[in-house]
Amino acid sequence: MTHHDGILIIDFGSQYTQLIARRVREQRVYCEIHPPSRDPDWIRDWKPKGIILSGGPNSVYGEGVPTAQPELLELGIPILGVCYGMQLLAHLSGGSVVSSSRREYGRADARIEGGTLFHGFAAGATTPVWMSHGDHVDTAPPHWNVVASSENSPIAAMEHATLPLFGVQFHPEVAHTPRGGEILANFLFGVCGCEPDWTPEHFVDSEIARIRALVGDRRVICGLSGGVDSSVAAALVHRAIGDQLTCIFVDHGLLRLNEREQVESTFRRNLGIDLRTVDATDAFLADLAGVTDPEAKRKLIGHRFIDVFEQEAKHVGDDVGFLVQGTLYPDVIESISPTGGASVTIKSHHNVGGLPERLPFKLIEPLRELFKDEVRQVGRELGLPEEMVGRHPFPGPGLAIRILGEVTREQCDLLRRADAIYIEEIRAAELYDQIWQAFAVLLPIRSVGVMGDFRSYDQVIGLRAVTSRDGMTADWFPFPPDVLAVISNRIANEVPGVNRVVYDVSSKPPATIEWE
């Protein structure tokens, strides 16, 4: 889908690349992330209003490092190079990049000396910026002017005298660069002439038109999970084609407390969607008997899900042509890598791959250009209830990957009760919306406790709650101690079989958000 008026971000492997995209979209400008292997002809066809070259871990002189073709600078398209992106611009334009005697990482003060990127900044004033680099530009290329400097980076920002080419040695996209948003806005609006028209309303209208044109009078099916993504995808497609849509909800027995009832009431009663629920609990639990390896659990659940879904899809009718999936943009980006090769798979994604290969339907992925917070905004635009739109992410394999060890009906029931108490208390303390994701985990260990006059030898519940912008990095949530005390007391008293509750204070990285 070409927007012809968006920003193209070339990803050189920085951990902050997605953050650049999010910052651009917060200014209501559409953008996409692509690998450096895109050639100038491809870029010309895409017709971007501007190009941002991301940072990255490499040195421009390294062996086999991702680079850009010099022709890129001759396309007449404005370019902003960030960190490694700026070094690349300097390198391609004949400047010199040298390795610093020490890595510069962290806060610095940049002295502004004019320039288009710093429109609205007082000349000669300093502004805090976030540095993260090993190399730096030592001498500016011919026809480039230095427009900002810091103590360790004499060339903290530079721009070409006549062409719309710009480089910054720091990261304007991170929160530690407080005026980074203004710098990006100067590039997007002042230089590229972008329009701030990427809004939920605009997206819904254009996506509905696209879906109607694509589907015609065929029938469409959607696998509903109860999560935000599949719910918004289903509501959007339903808005476009009404009763040509049938949703299939597979209850694998690994859902949260009362989840099935909530989904059924929202979709049947509120939206009037044709929803078919399949209770396949017994089949899923039979598959999982005796299995403890997390990746094996994911695969078994994935395969069984496809089987159940396929069976139910056959009952919908012969005229089904399309399958809706709630794939989001981070899933799409994670499956491409900066060097064009295969990136490391940390865990198999439940929704990218898996479902489509065997099923004889074309895919509709209406959310594949959106980040999670944009999906929530679209859900609100479509009138979905807040308790559904604001829900924390929930993994496809459900409780199976939150029960460390063998998954049984009893363990599922125990975890469901503990998790429900946890979430209930978070809501009661009005903390739910400050947390990206909160859930309980059942640990495969027993510990000694005291219940009344007796020693107990029972299970341990781990609690996880993290704050994050997009799930890429996460910090543990600092609960007030009295809230944790209430949660711990209630779980130990109300959930038979649990005598110990622990709170996980690990960040991502090094830990992942989920335990498995």
Side-chain angles (χ1 to χ4, degrees):
M1 187 173 177
T2 42
H3 290 261
H4 299 318
D5 51 1
I7 295 288
L8 192 59
I9 298 168
I10 305 290
D11 180 16
F12 289 100
S14 164
Q15 56 178 338
Y16 300 131
T17 304
Q18 286 203 25
L19 209 46
I20 299 176
R22 298 171 60 78
R23 292 287 176 264
V24 171
R25 290 187 179 194
E26 279 167 11
Q27 311 253 12
R28 301 195 152 177
V29 172
Y30 182 73
C31 61
E32 281 181 21
I33 296 174
H34 285 273
S37 50
R38 301 290 189 216
D39 62 30
D41 288 338
W42 184 93
I43 291 173
R44 217 180 262 115
D45 290 346
W46 202 84
K47 299 189 174 72
K49 284 258 175 121
I51 298 171
I52 297 178
L53 307 178
S54 87
N58 300 293
S59 163
V60 290
Y61 299 118
E63 284 290 310
V65 299
T67 184
Q69 298 177 26
E71 213 188 315
L72 191 65
L73 310 191
E74 290 151 26
L75 294 176
I77 300 169
I79 300 177
L80 170 63
V82 174
C83 201
Y84 178 78
M86 161 158 139
Q87 293 160 20
L88 209 49
L89 284 175
H91 184 56
L92 294 174
S93 307
S96 73
V97 176
V98 299
S99 158
S100 308
S101 51
R102 61 188 185 82
R103 280 187 58 83
E104 187 177 15
Y105 183 81
R107 249 191 72 127
D109 285 312
R111 181 177 209 69
I112 307 305
E113 288 153 31
T116 312
L117 285 185
F118 300 105
H119 177 72
F121 287 65
T126 60
T127 185
V129 297
W130 185 257
M131 295 283 192
S132 171
H133 59 99
D135 298 357
H136 65 265
V137 177
D138 191 47
T139 52
H143 314 299
W144 284 72
N145 303 322
V146 177
V147 290
S149 57
S150 74
E151 201 175 333
N152 292 319
S153 297
I155 306 179
M158 60 180 199
E159 60 184 59
H160 195 283
T162 53
L163 301 172
L165 303 175
F166 307 85
V168 290
Q169 182 57 75
F170 53 88
H171 287 276
E173 70 276 19
V174 303
H176 306 293
T177 302
R179 296 186 71 179
E182 290 172 64
I183 296 167
L184 284 174
N186 283 333
F187 178 68
L188 298 174
F189 305 116
V191 176
C192 304
C194 293
E195 292 292 329
D197 57 8
W198 174 250
T199 63
E201 193 179 9
H202 173 87
F203 171 80
V204 169
D205 292 345
S206 61
E207 198 56 28
I208 284 174
R210 190 184 74 87
I211 293 166
R212 281 182 186 150
L214 178 69
V215 169
D217 55 4
R218 306 285 291 281
R219 292 194 66 159
V220 178
I221 54 172
C222 172
L224 204 55
S225 70
V228 177
D229 309 339
S230 71
S231 300
V232 173
L236 184 57
V237 174
H238 182 252
R239 173 77 61 94
I241 58 166
D243 56 14
Q244 287 168 252
L245 173 71
T246 296
C247 288
I248 297 171
F249 179 56
V250 177
D251 181 355
H252 48 28
L254 306 166
L255 298 167
R256 289 165 287 195
L257 199 64
N258 304 327
E259 186 150 25
R260 178 172 154 182
E261 295 73 15
Q262 286 167 353
V263 170
E264 289 179 337
S265 77
T266 300
F267 282 86
R268 284 203 187 115
R269 211 173 310 145
N270 301 357
L271 295 173
I273 286 181
D274 173 23
L275 173 64
R276 309 190 181 182
T277 303
V278 192
D279 188 342
T281 303
D282 295 347
F284 279 94
L285 289 176
D287 287 348
L288 291 167
V291 180
T292 56
D293 176 69
E295 203 52 26
K297 288 179 189 174
R298 286 174 184 273
K299 288 209 167 69
L300 284 166
I301 291 167
H303 290 311
R304 174 63 65 180
F305 185 87
I306 293 168
D307 288 344
V308 173
F309 191 86
E310 209 168 9
Q311 281 306 108
E312 193 57 31
K314 283 180 184 148
H315 301 317
V316 174
D318 301 331
D319 56 343
V320 175
F322 296 90
L323 169 69
V324 178
Q325 269 190 235
T327 312
L328 302 197
Y329 199 40
D331 301 327
V332 178
I333 308 167
E334 278 179 22
S335 35
I336 60 172
S337 81
T339 49
S343 55
V344 184
T345 305
I346 295 178
K347 58 176 89 155
S348 54
H349 262 298
H350 193 61
N351 50 348
V352 177
L355 213 48
E357 297 143 31
R358 271 173 49 180
L359 296 169
F361 311 121
K362 292 200 180 106
L363 267 189
I364 299 182
E365 297 176 303
L367 312 177
R368 66 175 285 128
E369 299 174 345
L370 305 186
F371 286 103
K372 192 83 175 192
D373 55 340
E374 294 176 314
V375 173
R376 296 189 201 280
Q377 288 163 4
V378 167
R380 291 184 184 105
E381 183 71 31
L382 291 166
L384 283 173
E386 190 58 40
E387 62 270 19
M388 181 160 264
V389 175
R391 284 190 95 169
H392 292 174
F394 186 64
L399 301 182
I401 55 166
R402 292 177 176 176
I403 293 170
L404 277 55
E406 188 186 1
V407 179
T408 64
R409 199 178 293 265
E410 296 68 36
Q411 298 285 64
C412 287
D413 288 340
L414 186 151
L415 180 55
R416 254 191 281 275
R417 294 177 69 170
D419 190 72
I421 291 169
Y422 183 32
I423 299 300
E424 194 181 306
E425 290 299 335
I426 289 175
R427 286 195 184 278
E430 297 184 350
L431 298 172
Y432 189 84
D433 293 337
Q434 295 174 35
I435 297 171
W436 167 265
Q437 201 171 1
F439 54 90
V441 182
L442 184 56
L443 306 188
I445 44 180
R446 291 182 179 269
S447 75
V448 174
V450 182
M451 291 280 181
D453 297 332
F454 300 96
R455 283 162 71 82
S456 62
Y457 190 56
D458 280 338
Q459 289 183 270
V460 180
I461 286 282
L463 303 178
R464 184 86 163 122
V466 297
T467 55
S468 175
R469 286 198 60 117
D470 47 26
M472 297 300 289
T473 59
D475 291 316
W476 55 276
F477 181 74
F479 276 114
D482 54 330
V483 175
L484 277 178
V486 171
I487 294 166
S488 168
N489 273 336
R490 280 197 61 194
I491 291 174
N493 286 323
E494 296 173 35
V495 184
V498 176
N499 66 358
R500 194 176 291 270
V501 177
V502 298
Y503 185 54
D504 176 356
V505 292
S506 322
S507 293
K508 173 186 178 179
T512 49
I513 296 178
E514 295 285 347
W515 277 45
E516 291 204 333

